[in-house]
Amino acid sequence: MLPFFALLKKIIQTGIGKGRLLMATLGLGIAMLLLLVAIQAHTDFNQLLYSGKNQNESADFLVINKKITNAMMGQPEKSMFTPEEMDKIRQQPFVEAAGFIISSQFKVTAAAPGDLQFYTDMFFESVPDSFIDVQNEAWEWKEGERSIPIILPNDFLNLYNFGFALSQGLPQVSQETVKNLPVKITISKGLLSAEFTGRIAGFSDRISSFLVPASFMEWANERFGSGAAAAPSRVVIRTRDPSNPTLVKFLEDNGYTTNQDKVKYSKTKLIVQTIVSVIGFFGLVLLLFALLVFSMFIQLVIASCKREIQLLVMLGTGPGQLRRYLLRQFAPLYLVTGVAALVLVALLQWGASRMLAAHAMYVSAWPGAGTLVAAVVVLLLVYLVNNRSIRKYIAQNS
Amino acid sequence: MQIELSHLVPLPLRDKLQQRPSDIWNKELSFAPGSFVKIKAPSGSGKTTLVHYLYHIRNDYTGQVLVNGQPWQAYDKETLAAMRQQQVSIIFQDLRLFEQLTALENIELKRLMLPRPYCTQEKVLEMAERLQVTHVLPQSGRTLSYGERQRIAIIRALVQPFRWLFMDEPFSHLDDDNAQRAADLIAAECKGRQAGFILTDLDNDHRFAYDVNYHL
């Protein structure tokens, strides 16, 4: 400490109202803790929802269809999406992209090669290529090619391996094996038919359907279909946040339905957001009170040393010197408080990350950048408010 | 540093002052830098008031105190503080020491107020030795006698750089010997800085070689 400040310390007693200062500091500490915890909880929750580690790939894509009710049975046009409805979906803020799922208008049969004795009727669907994550040459089809890439739903392979194969005494197959298995695909409409070799290009959780490239579907529907473009009954949308409560509400309001699993976070998120907001709000209120008490404390200290301060100024002490001295008395206090709150949050975060990791949920072991920024901002705010009160009361008393 | 008085009249003494002549009040007056000025004044004629106006801790007057051509009011608080640290110094009649500090700390407070002190602590001890107050330096300001306080206040005023030193009955509590020792020290320090002083007192005295004498 400057020797001059050491002498000032004997004149300007900051020991007065220690209880008040302690309360203000405690209040500031708790306020900071609440604020930081709220911000950190928000960061963590977002991390749990969106970060790559916690996310399965389907989180970004939702397949939407209308609810099939008893009244609609036998009227397939009622489950179709009209162009107006489609436009409405596209205009929603949470929809980043939307595309039809186009069904095949022809018969499809698949047969396994060799003596696997596998033969089945099936169907194809296609979505715009931008919704497919197998984005390479494996997912391309040009007219004239005899081989079609196909994406299977993961569920399908599971059903086969664990349901069908076991009960029928058939061999279970791995994804790799399936990918190397050429499947004989026959598509037909009446007497017209064509044969292709199906090549499994990948497996998807996103869309539970047998997908072929859009180019193939277009060609085949034109060649083997009715010729008229069919209205889509399923729509796939890409969204940043499938748990967005507004999205869930939109679906409900319009009588649409989707894979409920993917929107299940919506409610949890709403609850967590509310709790986090309430905590943050209390933190803010407490912070305001702490600032108020700090200001009052500074006023008290300066008022109680009014005579001494006047004499100091008379002897030539600059108001700036007095301000610097007083700030130095308080600044370490709230700097320590801030650092303590930050350390506590870091400890909590570390503990939380370990506990969550045990449940295969991964959050960073360190407080987020937002939390650090918030801590700095709060400290800056306290500094500015204190500086202002010191300036004000020194000016009043000198 | 130029100090001028322009028709300075203290508001509380206005009526009283109209009834008698004065060399200072309501006059146009300039103090030459570096000169030793004595202002003799009877009690109640506004001696302390004048010193406070000169040092700018009171401003209940009409007219102006001009410092380097500018009225005191034109200086902001920080500039004023800087001037009190480096241009003007004062010995108050009521001494104004901090009772919660020791005698030495009272002097050090003023010396260390400047980030680069004007004189060393050895110099302080030397001045204390000359004024024979070395033994009271560690004592609390509260326990000092008036004479001791006055000498500490004198040393305090001399540890800073200044162009003008204002003194308000600086020897009122000192015997002749001590007063002369203090006066010699003050004169030497002023000469060393090529600074002037303005001293107010009740009586005539020959402790300094005054350049100018005024009657208040």
Side-chain angles (χ1 to χ4, degrees):
Chain A
M1 199 195 295
L2 288 175
F4 179 58
F5 284 178
L7 287 171
L8 280 187
K9 207 173 170 63
K10 294 191 176 181
I11 299 170
I12 301 176
Q13 300 282 341
T14 50
I16 183 168
K18 261 212 168 93
R20 252 172 276 210
L21 183 63
L22 202 71
M23 264 167 53
T25 312
L26 199 70
L28 179 71
I30 295 173
M32 272 195 80
L33 199 64
L34 288 181
L35 268 179
L36 297 187
V37 162
I39 291 167
Q40 188 57 44
H42 183 78
T43 315
D44 287 353
F45 197 66
N46 275 342
Q47 221 170 47
L48 281 176
L49 283 185
Y50 306 124
S51 89
K53 265 188 179 170
N54 299 297
Q55 208 170 33
N56 55 26
E57 49 148 4
S58 64
D60 286 350
F61 289 83
L62 288 178
V63 176
I64 298 171
N65 53 268
K66 293 186 177 177
K67 264 183 201 142
I68 305 285
T69 60
N70 285 341
M72 285 161 67
M73 284 169 70
Q75 298 168 284
E77 70 278 3
K78 283 209 172 168
S79 67
M80 304 292 182
F81 284 93
T82 64
E84 295 78 47
E85 287 172 326
M86 196 61 200
D87 281 346
K88 201 174 155 196
I89 292 175
R90 283 211 173 92
Q91 281 160 14
Q92 297 306 313
F94 45 79
V95 174
E96 287 183 350
F100 298 125
I101 296 185
I102 299 169
S103 308
S104 52
Q105 297 171 338
F106 43 82
K107 279 194 166 173
V108 181
T109 61
D115 30 321
L116 274 171
Q117 302 289 320
F118 178 80
Y119 175 87
T120 180
D121 276 334
M122 62 183 291
F123 65 97
F124 282 145
E125 285 186 304
S126 76
V127 294
D129 284 348
S130 58
F131 290 89
I132 303 289
D133 47 359
V134 191
Q135 289 289 7
N136 49 38
E137 65 271 21
W139 191 248
E140 267 176 14
W141 186 86
K142 290 195 198 78
E143 198 174 333
E145 282 181 26
R146 304 312 298 166
S147 149
I148 342 164
I150 301 171
I151 291 178
L152 293 185
N154 259 329
D155 288 344
F156 177 75
L157 189 64
N158 289 341
L159 281 176
Y160 170 81
N161 272 340
F162 304 109
F164 193 69
L166 287 180
S167 66
Q168 304 290 315
L170 289 169
Q172 288 180 312
V173 288
S174 67
Q175 285 197 353
E176 288 69 34
T177 311
V178 174
K179 279 184 179 175
N180 289 323
L181 215 63
V183 187
K184 201 173 107 187
I185 302 286
T186 310
I187 64 172
S188 61
K189 171 95 175 181
L191 291 173
L192 206 59
S193 74
E195 270 191 19
F196 296 90
T197 307
R199 178 166 47 77
I200 309 303
F203 295 85
S204 169
D205 279 322
R206 268 183 204 173
I207 301 161
S208 284
S209 185
F210 301 96
L211 296 175
V212 289
S215 53
F216 174 77
M217 184 61 91
E218 211 171 280
W219 174 83
N221 267 350
E222 199 176 291
R223 192 86 184 276
F224 296 89
S226 59
S233 58
R234 296 214 288 176
V235 174
V236 60
I237 62 166
R238 188 168 70 221
T239 176
R240 224 175 60 76
D241 179 10
S243 58
N244 185 341
T246 26
L247 180 142
V248 176
K249 189 167 180 305
F250 172 79
L251 296 181
E252 267 171 22
D253 290 351
N254 288 283
Y256 302 154
T257 172
T258 184
N259 187 347
Q260 289 304 309
D261 221 29
K262 294 177 180 174
V263 292
K264 71 181 171 190
Y265 286 126
S266 158
K267 267 210 178 101
T268 325
K269 187 176 182 190
L270 207 64
I271 294 168
V272 171
Q273 264 178 354
T274 312
I275 294 174
V276 163
S277 307
V278 168
I279 293 176
F281 175 75
F282 274 116
L284 268 181
V285 170
L286 203 58
L287 178 68
L288 285 181
F289 273 105
L291 285 177
L292 194 71
V293 178
F294 256 121
S295 279
M296 283 166 61
F297 176 74
I298 288 167
Q299 186 181 11
L300 178 78
V301 165
I302 294 176
S304 71
C305 303
K306 192 181 165 84
R307 275 193 51 224
E308 282 81 0
I309 286 175
Q310 281 172 345
L311 181 50
L312 279 167
V313 170
M314 228 179 264
L315 289 174
T317 312
Q321 280 177 309
L322 287 173
R323 282 202 300 271
R324 276 196 296 282
Y325 164 73
L326 282 171
L327 261 181
R328 268 189 206 203
Q329 300 304 301
F330 301 128
L333 197 67
Y334 44 76
L335 204 65
V336 166
T337 311
V339 170
L342 208 56
V343 166
L344 211 58
V345 168
L347 280 175
L348 283 175
Q349 177 68 10
W350 183 73
S353 87
R354 284 191 55 148
M355 266 169 58
L356 287 172
H359 296 97
M361 293 189 277
Y362 300 100
V363 293
S364 162
W366 294 94
T371 313
L372 291 176
V373 169
V376 171
V377 167
V378 168
L379 285 181
L380 216 63
L381 184 75
V382 177
Y383 173 81
L384 288 178
V385 169
N386 276 355
N387 196 10
R388 205 182 138 270
S389 359
I390 288 176
R391 187 174 286 268
K392 181 175 150 197
Y393 296 123
I394 286 284
Q396 272 176 15
N397 288 285
S398 64
Chain B
M1 191 176 124
Q2 192 76 35
I3 298 180
E4 295 162 273
L5 305 183
S6 173
H7 299 288
L8 188 67
V9 177
L11 291 174
L13 298 175
R14 184 154 54 180
D15 299 332
K16 200 173 156 190
L17 291 175
Q18 278 167 355
Q19 294 158 16
R20 61 174 190 80
S22 163
D23 296 340
I24 305 277
W25 298 127
N26 205 12
K27 291 275 184 326
E28 205 66 54
L29 196 68
S30 172
F31 298 106
S35 54
F36 288 6
V37 179
K38 164 80 186 273
I39 298 174
K40 186 188 154 192
S43 304
S45 58
K47 195 163 25 61
T48 300
T49 307
L50 175 68
V51 171
H52 286 185
Y53 290 169
L54 287 170
Y55 193 64
H56 193 49
I57 49 179
R58 265 180 79 174
N59 52 13
D60 51 340
Y61 53 76
T62 59
Q64 285 183 319
V65 179
L66 296 162
V67 178
N68 292 333
Q70 297 237 56
W72 262 132
Q73 285 82 350
Y75 294 91
D76 65 37
K77 283 183 175 178
E78 289 294 343
T79 316
L80 189 61
M83 292 182 79
R84 284 174 182 166
Q85 289 182 15
Q86 301 179 56
Q87 308 263 329
V88 293
S89 189
I90 190 164
I91 300 168
F92 292 108
Q93 185 189 23
D94 51 358
L95 308 174
R96 304 198 182 184
L97 299 183
F98 284 103
E99 295 199 335
Q100 56 270 63
L101 300 183
T102 65
L104 182 62
E105 283 169 344
N106 266 292
I107 298 167
E108 288 291 276
L109 180 76
K110 183 81 207 200
R111 188 176 75 89
L112 297 170
M113 206 175 275
L114 267 180
R116 283 186 188 170
Y118 174 77
C119 68
T120 59
Q121 198 175 36
E122 285 72 49
K123 171 79 181 168
V124 172
L125 297 177
E126 189 192 311
M127 289 195 278
E129 186 70 47
R130 265 183 87 167
L131 300 192
Q132 300 179 338
V133 284
T134 309
H135 62 288
V136 302
L137 286 181
Q139 279 183 31
S140 153
R142 204 172 286 116
T143 62
L144 301 180
S145 74
Y146 278 108
E148 287 159 349
R149 281 179 206 208
Q150 195 150 41
R151 281 173 283 174
I152 296 299
I154 289 170
I155 298 173
R156 181 176 70 179
L158 295 178
V159 294
Q160 67 164 91
F162 58 79
R163 312 300 303 159
W164 282 102
L165 173 63
F166 306 127
M167 295 181 273
D168 189 4
E169 296 187 48
F171 311 123
S172 53
H173 301 292
L174 299 181
D175 58 55
D176 278 341
D177 283 352
N178 273 315
Q180 193 54 53
R181 270 196 287 272
D184 291 345
L185 178 66
I186 292 169
E189 289 298 321
C190 285
K191 291 274 187 238
R193 292 169 172 81
Q194 295 173 321
F197 68 67
I198 297 174
L199 182 149
T200 62
D201 213 337
L202 296 165
D203 313 302
N204 288 319
D205 72 89
H206 302 286
R207 292 194 183 104
F208 292 101
Y210 297 114
D211 298 312
V212 202
N213 275 285
Y214 289 107
H215 283 271
L216 194 63

